[in-house]
Amino acid sequence: MAKNSVQLLQQYFGFDTFRGGQAQVIDAVLNGYSAAAIFPTGAGKSLCYQLPATQLPHLTLVVSPLLALMQDQLAFIKSKGIQAASIDSTQTREQANEIMQGVRSGQIKILMISVERLNNERFRQFLSQVPVSLLVVDEAHCISEWGHNFRPDYLKLPQYRRQFNIPQALLLTATATEKVVADMGRKFDIATEHITLTGFYRSNLNLAVQGIASGDKIAYLCQWLTPRVQQSGIVYVTLQQTAEQVAQQLAQAGINAKAYHAGMNSDVRSQIQQQFMQGSVNVIVATIAFGMGIDKSDIRFVVHYDLPKSIENYAQEIGRAGRDGTNSDCLVLANRDNLNVLENFVYGDTPELSAIKVVLTQIVACQGQWEIVQNSLSSQSNIRLLSLKTLLVYLEILGVIKPLFSYFAEYKYKMLVNEPQVLGHFKSERQDFVRAIFDSSSKAKLWATVDFDSLNNQYTSDRSRVVTALDYLDQQGMIELQTKQMTQVYQVLVADFNLDKLSEKLFNRFAGKEQSEIKRIHHLIDFFASDQCLSQQLSQYFSDNSLTQPCGHCSVCAGLVAQLPVAAPTTPLDSVDFEQLTSAIRAKLAENCSVVLVSRFLCGLTTPLFTRLRVRSLHGFARLEQYPFSEVKSWVESKLSQ
Ligand code: ADP
Ligand code: MG
């Protein structure tokens, strides 16, 4: 078998040899097993499905979290002459139909989709009709609630695999702890011997942690960069505002640095990225938005100006340094200043029990089909969007609801060509139909909104025909179309559940998640403050035990164990004036007032309700953000019950 797969490698891809781990994973898949490949970024995970896909009898279905990742992979596969396609949101219905036809006929061997595509009943219907040999889950750690970057929709993948009778699964990820690996393996029935981990340790990365007070960071960084001004590197920060500030300060110190963050427009961003790739900008000061899909091999340093979000994030981010194998430096500037803030973010994500009940009550009341606009439901229930998505997935897994399809509730258009001219393009019945769309729309100065009901009264036509017509007019440049209010339609499968019991069960699940997130933050701090070899610890965290001796080139091995300064002492809550800090918010919340909401307000944790009520400007907001949420909560509780 081994020889065989090497031949395939040469034949299809023109590569001479496999890289570490590839042969083992590929042979497992070709022998009919499910498998997992846990290799560092850039090690060649994609090949583990691309090669078998050419040999498997039926379709290889690849689920990927990012459109950009899909497009890169597709371009590569196609350049090797393998038939592959994606179905994604940028395509028209016709394009998608054409691709589905290609899959049905067996011409397309690899189909890439986002996980959200599976929420569409029409697409699931399609999938149930075509045989699929292999389900590939890229960035598979997204499936674990206990890992980082959890994507709620990923949780449903094992269920879909069963539903579509997909015999084999292949999971790909760069960063998975032992617990996450075990979790993934269990959910997809992967035998331990088919989980392949290549080493995590990279001997050319010098890890260093510097304990430092926030006020001293910039001076330290400037000095640290002085001998490195000719090199390429990335400085990661948490906030967009910090990215701007630090970039400016570095520039003032004569370092060729630019900021890069999600708040900048995409043209500017891709320009900066290009300058960095070409070497005309040396240092990028970025929020975590930077780096996905960056393929620059000579990045000589990665600095974490603020603590990374998790050890997994840290691993992924430093992984961008030294791809060419040359020594590279990774520095973390660490203190405990933002520890409470980090923890409090976690608390802000957990929905209140009463909020969960709001959602369940809607389900009970609607019977049959349940239509939601996620943003509105998030605001009605006061549950943050990501947590709401998680809740909906939990409900799906419990068999309470089932997604049917989604549609845009609102279609708006602006005429780019005058109406008679547009109508001139059509004859007889079609012309009447298009005219009826225009006539029935409610018009503002520039934009008109399609009124489906009024149109239907004038001219009987189903919604899909109207949408198709609008898409066509838009494509022909006759109108500019805007769609809004993505509405999800669920079928309610069980409406007679015990509301209190189910709410509690769901709430407990969120509480468990909260605890594990908090533990992860502590683990992160312990890691940076540790007196054991950093390389060794990091490798072990990712189940690589190959480094049996201390590495000899990290800051701990150099004898510099980081001392993380503790945040400035805060005044005890006993001496804080409760009335003074909370009278405004309590008045504003009125009957919605609760211990959790008041505590969130004081800790500066926004919720959809707060956004609606614009509480940020009220006196007291975020005044206690440096205090642990749990302490604030007990304090508020004792005050409110007095
Ligand atoms: P990962 O998903 O693990 O981050 P990719 O699958 O994107 O990595 O692969 C990174 C690069 O390595 C790609 O350009 C790919 O074509 C190349 N590559 C993969 N396997 C091999 C191989 N056996 N020989 C040469 N190049 C390879
Ligand atoms: Mg990849």
Side-chain angles (χ1 to χ4, degrees):
M1 182 49 85
K3 192 170 174 207
N4 203 346
S5 49
V6 173
Q7 280 167 353
L8 294 170
L9 178 72
Q10 290 161 350
Q11 179 193 336
Y12 282 95
F13 298 91
F15 297 150
D16 292 332
T17 50
F18 282 117
R19 291 190 182 159
Q22 284 180 333
Q24 199 179 333
V25 176
I26 288 170
D27 286 343
V29 175
L30 289 177
N31 283 318
Y33 298 105
S34 288
I38 300 152
F39 309 167
T41 308
K45 290 182 285 295
S46 317
L47 195 82
C48 297
Y49 77 82
Q50 290 164 346
L51 191 152
T54 64
Q55 304 303 303
L56 292 168
H58 306 299
L59 183 72
T60 292
L61 179 68
V62 184
V63 175
S64 172
L66 260 183
L67 196 60
L69 291 180
M70 277 193 232
Q71 280 161 351
D72 284 354
Q73 293 183 24
L74 270 182
F76 175 79
I77 305 168
K78 284 183 179 167
S79 78
K80 302 296 174 192
I82 300 165
Q83 296 284 342
S86 72
I87 294 188
D88 63 59
S89 52
T90 65
Q91 294 162 340
T92 64
R93 194 175 276 245
E94 281 70 32
Q95 289 171 317
N97 281 343
E98 199 175 307
I99 290 166
M100 290 200 262
Q101 195 41 46
V103 171
R104 270 204 197 92
S105 70
Q107 198 196 353
I108 291 175
K109 296 298 291 176
I110 299 176
L111 181 66
M112 308 197 72
I113 57 164
S114 71
V115 71
E116 288 80 14
R117 178 67 34 186
L118 290 162
N119 287 335
N120 181 307
E121 191 180 38
R122 220 176 120 241
F123 182 75
R124 294 202 306 269
Q125 179 71 20
F126 156 74
L127 261 194
S128 65
Q129 292 162 353
V130 293
V132 181
S133 293
L134 177 66
L135 171 67
V136 180
V137 185
D138 201 5
E139 308 296 333
H141 55 271
C142 294
I143 196 182
S144 180
E145 290 165 272
W146 320 119
H148 71 306
N149 284 351
F150 168 54
R151 300 262 300 221
D153 279 312
Y154 266 64
L155 268 187
K156 297 183 286 183
L157 287 171
Q159 203 165 315
Y160 284 133
R161 177 187 170 195
R162 285 190 290 275
Q163 184 180 335
F164 302 122
N165 285 317
I166 306 177
Q168 290 175 261
L170 172 63
L171 311 184
L172 310 174
T173 178
T175 43
T177 60
E178 214 157 330
K179 188 172 177 194
V180 171
V181 173
D183 192 25
M184 296 189 315
R186 193 161 9 87
K187 287 189 166 116
F188 286 95
D189 287 322
I190 301 173
T192 319
E193 71 260 34
H194 297 131
I195 297 178
T196 303
L197 287 128
T198 57
F200 182 86
Y201 172 61
R202 284 175 58 196
S203 60
N204 67 321
L205 298 189
N206 305 319
L207 311 186
V209 180
Q210 176 65 44
I212 189 165
S214 292
D216 301 334
K217 282 189 197 172
I218 190 73
Y220 185 91
L221 179 62
C222 286
Q223 202 186 8
W224 191 84
L225 287 176
T226 307
R228 297 175 171 86
V229 282
Q230 301 301 334
Q231 302 176 342
S232 293
I234 308 174
V235 176
Y236 283 108
V237 299
T238 312
L239 302 173
Q240 296 180 2
Q241 185 188 331
T242 322
E244 298 278 359
Q245 274 166 13
V246 171
Q248 204 182 1
Q249 283 161 314
L250 292 182
Q252 274 164 11
I255 294 159
N256 182 2
K258 284 214 167 134
Y260 180 104
H261 58 73
M264 296 162 62
N265 89 37
S266 60
D267 291 345
V268 177
R269 276 195 336 213
S270 59
Q271 198 192 342
I272 294 176
Q273 181 166 332
Q274 246 167 31
Q275 292 171 333
F276 180 66
M277 299 299 283
Q278 293 158 358
S280 60
V281 166
N282 288 347
V283 181
I284 296 280
V285 185
T287 53
I288 42 172
F290 186 76
M292 273 280 201
I294 287 281
D295 202 7
K296 185 170 168 63
S297 63
D298 63 345
I299 295 178
R300 288 280 75 83
F301 60 86
V302 167
V303 176
H304 283 87
Y305 191 80
D306 297 315
L307 281 184
K309 252 179 82 189
S310 64
I311 297 184
E312 289 85 345
N313 281 81
Y314 173 67
Q316 221 156 46
E317 286 151 14
I318 62 170
R320 299 194 175 112
R323 292 271 174 81
D324 55 6
T326 308
N327 283 349
S328 305
D329 297 318
C330 306
L331 172 70
V332 180
L333 300 180
N335 59 45
R336 294 175 201 266
D337 279 9
N338 284 323
L339 192 55
N340 287 333
V341 178
L342 276 182
E343 286 194 25
N344 288 353
F345 272 124
V346 175
Y347 293 115
D349 276 338
T350 309
E352 288 175 88
L353 183 62
S354 59
I356 295 176
K357 283 187 183 165
V358 170
V359 174
L360 295 189
T361 308
Q362 277 202 15
I363 296 177
V364 174
C366 81
Q367 294 181 351
Q369 286 195 358
W370 185 42
E371 297 205 359
I372 60 160
V373 173
Q374 281 185 351
N375 284 320
S376 329
L377 184 60
S378 159
S379 150
Q380 284 158 23
S381 63
N382 197 30
I383 300 176
R384 281 191 188 172
L385 205 54
L386 181 67
S387 307
L388 179 66
K389 286 182 182 168
T390 308
L391 177 62
L392 293 169
V393 168
Y394 286 166
L395 287 167
E396 274 181 54
I397 290 173
L398 290 168
V400 176
I401 55 174
K402 179 174 106 175
L404 294 177
F405 57 91
S406 51
Y407 66 89
F408 287 107
E410 194 181 293
Y411 281 81
K412 273 188 168 180
Y413 60 88
K414 184 166 79 178
M415 303 299 297
L416 299 178
V417 172
N418 69 36
E419 206 176 298
Q421 243 179 312
V422 174
L423 293 174
H425 285 272
F426 301 94
K427 289 204 185 76
S428 50
E429 194 272 340
R430 284 191 171 193
Q431 193 181 61
D432 294 343
F433 172 56
V434 175
R435 184 181 292 116
I437 296 181
F438 290 151
D439 288 351
S440 61
S441 300
S442 52
K443 299 187 178 73
K445 227 183 195 166
L446 216 50
W447 290 88
T449 306
V450 179
D451 184 336
F452 289 94
D453 290 335
S454 137
L455 170 62
N456 207 31
N457 287 337
Q458 265 184 45
Y459 197 100
T460 313
S461 49
D462 62 67
R463 198 182 164 91
S464 68
R465 188 181 177 201
V466 182
V467 172
T468 309
L470 291 167
D471 272 339
Y472 177 78
L473 295 176
D474 182 54
Q475 271 172 41
Q476 298 298 312
M478 295 189 253
I479 63 169
E480 183 186 331
L481 189 64
Q482 256 191 11
T483 48
K484 276 200 185 129
Q485 287 233 309
M486 171 65 95
T487 306
Q488 251 116 23
V489 183
Y490 288 92
Q491 185 181 344
V492 176
L493 301 173
V494 181
D496 57 352
F497 50 78
N498 180 322
L499 202 136
D500 287 333
K501 260 199 187 147
L502 184 56
S503 309
E504 202 136 319
K505 178 170 170 175
L506 292 162
F507 179 75
N508 288 337
R509 189 154 177 185
F510 277 106
K513 207 162 129 27
E514 177 181 287
Q515 276 318 302
S516 93
E517 290 289 315
I518 295 290
K519 267 196 209 134
R520 254 152 31 83
I521 294 175
H522 285 236
H523 201 129
L524 178 78
I525 294 286
D526 294 348
F527 170 72
F528 290 123
S530 160
D531 60 1
Q532 281 170 39
C533 170
L534 297 171
S535 307
Q536 217 175 2
Q537 276 197 80
L538 190 64
S539 310
Q540 281 166 5
Y541 185 76
F542 295 110
S543 314
D544 174 3
N545 299 314
S546 63
L547 196 61
T548 50
Q549 300 288 319
C551 75
H553 57 93
C554 70
S555 53
V556 172
C557 287
L560 305 167
V561 174
Q563 304 293 331
L564 310 195
V566 194
T570 41
T571 19
L573 284 175
D574 289 344
S575 56
V576 173
D577 187 340
F578 181 76
E579 279 305 316
Q580 200 250 345
L581 278 191
T582 62
S583 56
I585 185 65
R586 283 190 292 154
K588 190 90 177 181
L589 289 172
E591 78 274 10
N592 287 322
C593 184
S594 73
V595 171
V596 173
L597 286 182
V598 173
S599 311
R600 282 191 182 167
F601 172 82
L602 292 172
C603 289
L605 302 173
T606 56
T607 72
L609 179 68
F610 285 178
T611 312
R612 189 150 36 102
L613 296 178
R614 294 170 212 250
V615 307
R616 272 176 174 276
S617 56
L618 292 184
H619 177 73
F621 182 77
R623 278 305 169 89
L624 303 183
E625 68 178 351
Q626 298 293 344
Y627 290 79
F629 180 77
S630 54
E631 242 175 69
V632 174
K633 207 173 104 185
S634 323
W635 182 64
V636 172
E637 199 161 19
S638 70
K639 293 288 178 186
L640 283 179
S641 63
Q642 269 169 21

